[in-house]
Amino acid sequence: MYPLSVDQPYPREQWWVAAYSSEVGRDVLARDILGEPVILYRTEAGEAVALAGICPHRAFPLSKGCLVGDAVQCGYHGFRFGADGKCQHVPSQTGVPQNAQLRAYPLFEQAGLIWLWTGSPGRADPGLVPDLHSLGLGRDDWAVEQHPVVTVAARYTLLIENLLDLSHVTFIHHSTIPAGEKVAAIPVDVIETEASLTVQRRGENLPLNPLLATQFPGQLGPFHQHFDAEYLGPCLIRTGGAMYDAASGKLLGVQNYLHLLTPAGPSRLHYFVNTARSFGIDRPELGEMQVAMGSRIQPEDIEAIEAIEQVLQSRATMPREISARVDTGALKVRRRLEMQIRSESQGVARHGE
Ligand code: FES
Ligand SMILES: [Fe+2]
């Protein structure tokens, strides 16, 4: 499925952010993940639970049900399923039908995020979640803002490619990102490790702009500024980076933009943005500014990738794709993702032998 050369749109042996911790409580939350309806809630003890969202009796959406203790009760005929997914109760009979069971998804909650594993439960290793601590999440010496989750009518790979080619900042965000007009002209390096691939831009001797003036009062510039785009897996891309006083070389701080993406289905995605900064952590107005900026910038990206999704859906004859040097990182990420998806289907074939 475009832009990948594999049929499967996404890997399944993978952690994805299902919800913010603050979204999940004692009401049933519905969220589609990898094309499957899922419900999320908390037990009375506060443990997050994720179950398949369709009742196996007559396919009523369990999001229309209610919680009874730690169980969810279907709103149609009252079948009740425990937090482990097992059917506990069927009205008007003793005992429950054999195999009456909902899929229960392994979860891992950290730094205000609920991660959900869509692969085989035996392989759900929380060690496979990207290292959030090093990015500034879940620690006292950084400030973090969680931006509202948005569902976008586009395949998740279009957002990955949007984020890995920040030359779009100069064009799509020319009026919303200070210094954005400079980004496209900065040369690109691609740094690869086993865990990540970074498309790296180093802005040098940039003049003061209104954003830097607010972030670093008293600093007059010029500044060195990193405009990184780091792919940490299909679920997470980090943009932003370190900022320095150009004259002294002193590190002023790091501002990370953490883009957490989860396929809702083949052509829809959930988009969670967290901003994390290592400076001014006692200045909440900096966080409010990031959220306000995000509310202007994010719709510009969404409009762009939804427009591309519509072209892809329109059955128009696709022109032959032309890539430029700036696309090197994004093309390498396509290959990584294809390899991840292929290795899963080969693994399944091996296990099925
Ligand atoms: S459809 Fe859920 S109990 Fe009948
Ligand atoms: Fe953008």
Side-chain angles (χ1 to χ4, degrees), residues 72-336:
V72 60
Q73 178 172 291
C74 179
Y76 202 4
H77 313 99
F79 281 38
R80 209 176 280 169
F81 302 89
D84 58 0
K86 289 204 178 99
C87 185
Q88 294 178 335
H89 174 69
V90 173
S92 356
Q93 72 176 57
T94 51
V96 296
Q98 268 190 345
N99 303 326
Q101 163 118 30
L102 300 171
R103 177 177 181 184
Y105 293 87
L107 297 180
F108 174 63
E109 190 164 3
Q110 187 188 31
L113 302 168
I114 297 179
W115 293 85
L116 178 147
W117 176 260
T118 47
S120 30
R123 298 201 195 123
D125 173 7
L128 297 173
V129 170
D131 175 12
L132 304 178
H133 193 260
S134 69
L135 306 174
L137 297 191
R139 49 195 286 177
D140 296 336
D141 53 345
W142 285 55
V144 175
E145 299 81 40
Q146 291 192 329
H147 300 226
V149 54
V150 188
T151 299
V152 181
R155 60 199 69 184
Y156 75 112
T157 38
L158 295 181
L159 183 54
I160 292 178
E161 302 213 333
N162 163 287
L163 293 164
L164 286 175
D165 183 359
L166 292 181
S167 63
H168 81 264
V169 167
T170 299
F171 301 94
I172 282 195
H173 307 306
H174 57 88
S175 63
T176 48
I177 298 189
E181 75 282 359
K182 305 248 181 339
V183 174
I186 302 172
V188 166
D189 281 321
V190 175
I191 314 293
E192 290 187 81
T193 69
E194 203 179 314
S196 78
L197 182 149
T198 306
V199 179
Q200 186 178 271
R201 280 188 172 82
R202 297 286 186 249
E204 298 202 336
N205 296 309
L206 302 177
L208 188 64
N209 65 49
L211 177 58
L212 290 166
T214 312
Q215 289 174 316
F216 306 112
Q219 293 286 333
L220 300 176
F223 301 86
H224 295 332
Q225 183 167 359
H226 293 184
F227 299 95
D228 297 333
E230 182 179 15
Y231 174 84
L232 289 144
C235 58
L236 173 59
I237 291 164
R238 177 188 67 87
T239 59
M243 290 163 283
Y244 300 85
D245 173 52
S248 64
K250 182 182 153 219
L251 175 68
L252 300 173
V254 178
Q255 175 74 66
N256 283 332
Y257 299 82
L258 304 174
H259 307 264
L260 298 140
L261 34 154
T262 304
S267 52
R268 231 155 42 91
L269 74 107
H270 305 299
Y271 189 7
F272 306 80
V273 176
N274 282 197
T275 36
R277 68 177 181 283
S278 68
F279 56 93
I281 63 172
D282 51 354
R283 294 175 60 207
E285 70 274 16
L286 292 182
E288 287 155 19
M289 183 180 68
Q290 286 296 344
V291 174
M293 275 177 60
S295 71
R296 293 191 295 273
I297 295 166
Q298 195 185 39
E300 296 171 333
D301 291 304
I302 290 174
E303 194 183 330
I305 63 172
E306 286 188 340
I308 297 171
E309 183 63 49
Q310 280 177 21
V311 171
L312 298 175
Q313 303 269 344
S314 71
R315 298 161 185 249
T317 309
M318 286 281 289
R320 191 163 153 256
E321 195 178 56
I322 296 171
S323 294
R325 201 168 302 147
V326 76
D327 298 308
T328 307
L331 291 173
K332 282 174 182 269
V333 163
R334 283 188 191 177
R335 304 292 92 83
R336 274 191 186 219

